[in-house]
Amino acid sequence: KGAPEKSVIPVDTRGKRAPRVPRGKYSFRTHHLPAGNRLHEIEMPRTGRIGRKRGMEAFDNTMLKITRSQAQADKRVKLSLTVEDPDGNRRRYEVGSKSGFHASDVRSDIRKDHEGDPEAWLRTQLNYVYPDTGNYRIVGVEINEHNAVRTKEVRKQEDLSRTRRRRWSR
């Protein structure tokens, strides 16, 4: 009232729904990089159904293959985890040191410290570096496989003298 011009009445759009985010599904891809390096990408759904189980099995089997391929040179893996919070927002986190984990150490930690559960090991690493991610679900793992800079002989000497490995959680 009292305005010099008539007010505009908005058009009723009937409140269209926002497009649904497609449900996550299991997928596994390997990219071959120069110098024998590889990049493995694993996607899995949020819920604990068949696809999630297949995703964790793919992570475990990939780590096993990497460990078995160390006849000539030690392999290291850098891990990037994609997590989804309860609101459906996704974030990507790097775990491990700058040079990553020794592949055999990952396998032995999963077997010994986490009773063969790769998801428990991933969750431990994620929660140690990023403590606020307690209720986030892991929906993707990227494994960057590369040759270790340190020679196998040097690593074996460090293993004998117990100077090579530090554990975050202890």
Side-chain angles (χ1 to χ4, degrees), residues 28-41 62 65-70 75-79 142-147:
F28 178 77
R29 291 179 296 282
T30 298
H31 305 280
H32 296 277
L33 305 173
N37 299 331
R38 290 184 182 90
L39 182 66
H40 308 280
E41 296 174 343
T62 302
K65 286 178 186 176
I66 294 169
T67 302
R68 287 181 176 168
S69 70
Q70 298 184 103
K75 297 283 187 177
R76 294 192 73 82
V77 292
K78 270 190 74 103
L79 299 175
E142 186 176 280
I143 306 167
N144 186 344
E145 169 190 352
H146 57 279
N147 288 335

Side-chain angles (χ1 to χ4, degrees), residues 9-107:
I9 300 172
V11 178
D12 187 9
T13 60
R14 294 282 178 213
K16 292 183 181 176
R17 286 182 178 248
R20 289 187 61 127
V21 175
R23 191 177 128 233
K25 59 183 179 179
Y26 166 76
S27 69
F28 178 77
R29 291 179 296 282
T30 298
H31 305 280
H32 296 277
L33 305 173
N37 299 331
R38 290 184 182 90
L39 182 66
H40 308 280
E41 296 174 343
I42 303 167
E43 283 285 325
M44 63 194 92
R46 257 191 102 204
T47 58
R49 298 192 190 271
I50 296 169
R52 185 163 188 79
K53 182 180 176 189
R54 286 180 62 197
M56 287 302 163
E57 285 174 357
F59 172 74
D60 200 30
N61 290 337
T62 302
M63 292 307 300
L64 179 61
K65 286 178 186 176
I66 294 169
T67 302
R68 287 181 176 168
S69 70
Q70 298 184 103
Q72 302 302 318
D74 283 343
K75 297 283 187 177
R76 294 192 73 82
V77 292
K78 270 190 74 103
L79 299 175
S80 299
L81 303 178
T82 304
V83 299
E84 189 173 309
D85 66 11
D87 298 330
N89 301 318
R90 289 185 172 211
R91 291 180 177 83
R92 191 176 175 118
Y93 294 105
E94 305 280 331
V95 295
S97 66
K98 199 164 62 169
S99 59
F101 297 100
H102 187 269
S104 297
D105 293 344
V106 173
R107 286 287 301 163

